[in-house]
Amino acid sequence: MGRPWLLLSVTSAAALLGGQLAFVGSATAVPDLVADRPSAAPAYPADSLRALGARTGLKIGTAVNMDQLGSNEKYTQITAEQFSSVTAENVMKWAEVEAVRGTYTWEKADQMVAFAKKNKQLVRGHTLLWHNQLPAWLSSDGYTTTLSNDEVKAVLKKHVFAQLRHFKGDVWQWDVVNEAFDDNGQPRETIWYKAWGGTGYIADVFRWAHQADPKALLFYNDYNLEFTGPKSNAVYELVKSLKAQRVPIHGVGFQGHLSTQYGYPDLQSNLERFAALGQKVALTEVDVRTFTQADAVNTPVNPLASYAQESYWSRSLKACLAVRACISFTPWGFGDSYSWVPGWFDDPQEGAALIYDEQLNPKSQYYVLQQDLALAAGAPRR
Ligand code: 9MR
């Protein structure tokens, strides 16, 4: 791997730090409040993403594929060494935990939580309410159900209490409501919307979640909030209205599924305006896909694509670093072999969206993140 990006990154990091360089000297006087700062004998390398993130108190997360964790040695080691937060990519979703009505299967989720404890990682709970990955007995598509409106309300309440209580004390941030709006900023007319006759279900679910686990940070989570537009405006109004009703919402998750075919979003100003509402913010599912070959789904069509991808990764991380309320930065997995992207975006084919290649070797995208964290001395501590 050549290193022209090193120079680029140093230049842009200096530009980002700009006037804040004056604080660098006084940073040593700040007390160390970061729980996972490496101790005398850290279990992870000093140049790992988690160790470098700890310098500013930023948690670096990953989505975890439970088919790999524990059985794939290299995958398991990287998960433990590089990340200070973990999100279950699938195993905490409703279809997984209650496939049979009234019978809960927590085993895989519990294994992930145990792994996190062992490795001193925080857990993002994902996700309590979504219109996808619902159990078949409830809904096959999130928009239709054979249950009555009253039954829908009752099963949702039961689900929220069962899940929050099961993981009480173990989950740092919960994605309480996921993807409730479409890209036009209209509420999705899901089974929840229909049962409540509007978006009133959102307030109820946050209230129940808070009752069940008062210490968890409760998030609304969605994609395309990175761009100012109808969707991010609608979610902004939602958060404002929930705050006005004193609903316990603590944060907004920006999923961050980016593609080099679109312009880079005005992410930082969106993070800032939600933070100004008193919310924590987080990047929760970052990946940066690009056009790839049909028969080699993680090989870019254009060999220059990785430069654009590095830039998107770097700018996303720096946007989060620059905003004190941005408490975690989570790529949606780390190895290209396990990414959802090639299977979902296949016409035209996209892929190569993560920071490790198919053999789980770090890509240039990984090194860009590593450097940005190492150079972020002027970023506010959180
Ligand atoms: O990565 C997840 C993939 O394995 C599942 O098949 C898919 C089902 O819809 O969900 C993926 O994760 C999604 C996340 O839960 C919510 N935001 C969008 C993510 C990518 O689809």
Side-chain angles (χ1 to χ4, degrees):
M1 188 76 56
R3 293 173 70 92
W5 43 266
L6 177 65
L7 292 174
L8 270 180
S9 197
V10 170
T11 320
S12 48
L16 173 84
L17 298 177
Q20 298 184 39
L21 283 172
F23 292 112
V24 173
S26 59
T28 47
V30 177
D32 178 9
L33 301 175
V34 181
D36 72 344
R37 181 172 283 256
S39 59
Y44 44 87
D47 65 351
S48 60
L49 300 180
R50 66 181 293 181
L52 295 169
R55 295 179 180 186
T56 55
L58 177 65
K59 301 296 175 193
I60 307 295
T62 182
V64 172
N65 180 330
M66 287 306 291
D67 294 336
Q68 301 303 319
L69 195 80
S71 54
N72 177 332
E73 201 180 324
K74 193 168 178 185
Y75 181 97
T76 307
Q77 185 182 350
I78 293 169
T79 306
E81 287 188 355
Q82 294 294 330
F83 302 100
S84 42
S85 159
V86 287
T87 309
E89 183 169 359
N90 287 303
V91 299
M92 286 190 186
K93 290 171 180 170
W94 199 339
E96 299 281 330
V97 299
E98 199 191 358
V100 177
R101 191 170 178 177
T103 303
Y104 294 98
T105 42
W106 305 115
E107 200 185 340
K108 286 187 178 167
D110 286 349
Q111 282 168 11
M112 195 199 76
V113 170
F115 180 88
K117 281 186 186 162
K118 181 171 154 226
N119 291 290
K120 297 190 167 38
Q121 296 165 317
L122 296 176
V123 174
R124 293 198 82 261
H126 178 84
T127 174
L128 270 182
L129 180 149
W130 193 23
H131 57 281
N132 283 328
Q133 286 175 290
L134 291 170
W137 58 263
L138 175 55
S139 176
S140 58
D141 59 2
Y143 295 90
T144 53
T145 179
T146 55
L147 273 57
S148 70
N149 287 341
D150 284 345
E151 276 182 299
V152 167
K153 289 182 170 181
V155 295
L156 180 56
K157 184 170 186 181
K158 184 165 176 259
H159 170 66
V160 171
F161 276 95
Q163 184 126 345
L164 265 285
R165 283 193 178 134
H166 181 82
F167 295 108
K168 188 171 179 175
D170 289 337
V171 171
W172 176 42
Q173 305 174 17
W174 264 111
D175 288 333
V176 174
V177 174
N178 197 43
E179 302 174 9
F181 289 84
D182 67 19
D183 280 336
N184 299 318
Q186 297 304 310
R188 290 181 197 274
E189 299 194 4
T190 58
I191 57 172
W192 325 115
Y193 182 94
K194 287 172 185 154
W196 264 258
T199 53
Y201 70 91
I202 297 178
D204 281 349
V205 169
F206 274 95
R207 288 193 180 107
W208 293 334
H210 186 61
Q211 248 180 288
D213 186 355
K215 290 195 178 148
L217 292 176
L218 305 182
F219 275 64
Y220 176 85
N221 188 53
D222 215 327
Y223 60 89
N224 282 349
L225 300 182
E226 301 83 29
F227 297 84
T228 304
K231 187 179 206 171
S232 111
N233 291 345
V235 173
Y236 182 81
E237 293 305 324
L238 168 77
V239 172
K240 247 168 70 177
S241 129
L242 293 174
K243 295 283 289 181
Q245 298 167 67
R246 301 184 162 276
V247 173
I249 176 169
H250 310 115
V252 176
F254 292 64
Q255 293 184 3
H257 294 293
L258 304 178
S259 170
T260 58
Q261 68 176 301
Y262 305 115
Y264 183 78
D266 51 340
L267 172 60
Q268 188 174 327
S269 56
N270 274 296
L271 294 174
E272 280 164 354
R273 70 169 172 155
F274 281 91
L277 292 176
Q279 295 296 291
K280 302 284 185 207
V281 289
L283 273 292
T284 56
E285 306 183 12
V286 186
D287 42 32
V288 182
R289 60 191 189 271
T290 194
F291 292 123
T292 51
Q293 298 174 12
D295 56 353
V297 295
N298 288 309
T299 304
V301 170
N302 186 328
L304 297 177
S306 62
Y307 292 102
Q309 292 174 296
E310 288 163 26
S311 162
Y312 279 41
W313 276 104
S314 173
R315 291 160 81 181
S316 303
L317 176 58
K318 284 177 187 165
C320 180
L321 278 167
V323 177
R324 185 188 295 273
C326 189
I327 57 176
S328 59
F329 180 90
T330 302
W332 201 236
F334 52 89
D336 278 340
S337 296
Y338 313 114
S339 166
W340 71 294
V341 166
W344 186 261
F345 301 96
D346 59 359
D347 186 23
Q349 186 66 55
E350 293 182 80
L354 294 175
I355 61 177
Y356 285 70
D357 68 16
E358 291 183 341
Q359 284 71 47
L360 293 179
N361 296 315
K363 301 181 354 189
S364 59
Q365 287 89 326
Y366 168 91
Y367 293 110
V368 164
L369 297 185
Q370 188 187 44
Q371 283 182 83
D372 286 338
L373 291 170
L375 294 167
R381 289 188 63 85
R382 57 216 74 207

